[in-house]
Amino acid sequence: MAKESSFDIVSKIDMAEVTNAINLTLKEIQNRYDFKGSNSDVKLEGDELVLISDDEFKMSQLKDVLLGKLIKRGVPIKNLQYGKMENAFGGNVRQRAKLIQGIDKDNAKKINTIIKNTGLKVKSQIQDDQIRVTGKSRDDLQKIIAVIRETDLPLDVQFINYR
């Protein structure tokens, strides 16, 4: 009898890389001429990034710098969910960006539907914030990974524990 192979579909963010990207962003805005005398700042509070800047234009520049650093560090920017821009103390503006980790129920159902629509002989089950896919053929599992990578999902997914 053939042994079943499996892998897990997860959506995780490496928080150490997020911290590194924040530090690089802060270092760059200290040295940039257009940010001289600016109150721009980026902080990590729990699972949220808090961006503070003088006005909306500087905020957009700050976000561009931060996103560039996050991309270079390999952090999936699809997993950032920006809130509304709000007024902060001293005439500044503040914006929060939630770092989404794990696959929520709606996206898990979408991924399960995609897997079922392939018609391959695999089983998928939702386990908390991840999905386990099992099948007898490793080729089928490879095809599932390829199909999910091609699909435009609202969050970034990784494939781990391939056995």
Side-chain angles (χ1 to χ4, degrees), residues 3-162:
K3 184 176 170 262
E4 293 236 329
S5 299
S6 68
F7 68 89
D8 295 331
I9 303 171
V10 297
S11 180
K12 292 187 178 176
I13 296 176
D14 187 356
M15 295 308 276
E17 293 297 344
V18 172
T19 305
N20 290 341
I22 290 171
N23 291 337
L24 289 171
T25 301
L26 291 173
K27 194 178 282 187
E28 182 170 329
I29 64 173
Q30 284 176 350
N31 294 331
R32 276 182 50 166
Y33 179 77
D34 55 343
F35 280 100
K36 292 287 186 216
S38 171
N39 289 340
S40 298
D41 192 22
V42 181
K43 289 184 264 185
L44 183 64
E45 293 179 357
D47 63 344
E48 277 189 336
L49 290 173
V50 180
L51 292 87
I52 299 172
S53 196
D54 295 339
D55 52 36
E56 290 184 25
F57 178 71
K58 283 222 171 87
M59 178 65 79
S60 69
Q61 287 182 317
L62 180 63
K63 282 200 288 193
D64 286 345
V65 172
L66 178 64
L67 289 178
K69 300 301 180 192
L70 288 171
I71 290 169
K72 279 186 182 175
R73 306 296 304 175
V75 177
I77 59 170
K78 271 187 173 179
N79 291 15
L80 287 177
Q81 191 175 49
Y82 287 101
K84 276 185 10 185
M85 203 172 296
E86 54 195 39
N87 292 328
F89 182 73
N92 295 336
V93 289
R94 177 188 312 125
Q95 189 169 20
R96 295 180 183 275
K98 188 166 177 54
L99 299 168
I100 301 170
Q101 298 219 50
I103 302 172
D104 61 330
K105 294 290 182 201
D106 293 335
N107 287 320
K109 287 179 184 176
K110 284 181 192 173
I111 293 171
N112 266 346
T113 305
I114 291 166
I115 291 170
K116 283 187 174 82
N117 289 342
T118 61
L120 298 170
K121 291 186 177 181
V122 295
K123 290 182 277 183
S124 62
Q125 55 188 160
I126 301 171
Q127 300 176 339
D128 292 330
D129 60 351
Q130 67 183 24
I131 300 172
R132 164 108 2 122
V133 181
T134 57
K136 291 188 179 186
S137 169
R138 286 183 162 231
D139 291 339
D140 287 350
L141 295 180
Q142 294 281 346
K143 289 175 187 170
I144 295 292
I145 290 173
V147 166
I148 292 173
R149 280 199 174 126
E150 288 173 7
T151 307
D152 185 31
L153 295 171
L155 68 152
D156 192 66
V157 293
Q158 296 90 30
F159 306 97
I160 59 171
N161 297 336
Y162 186 76

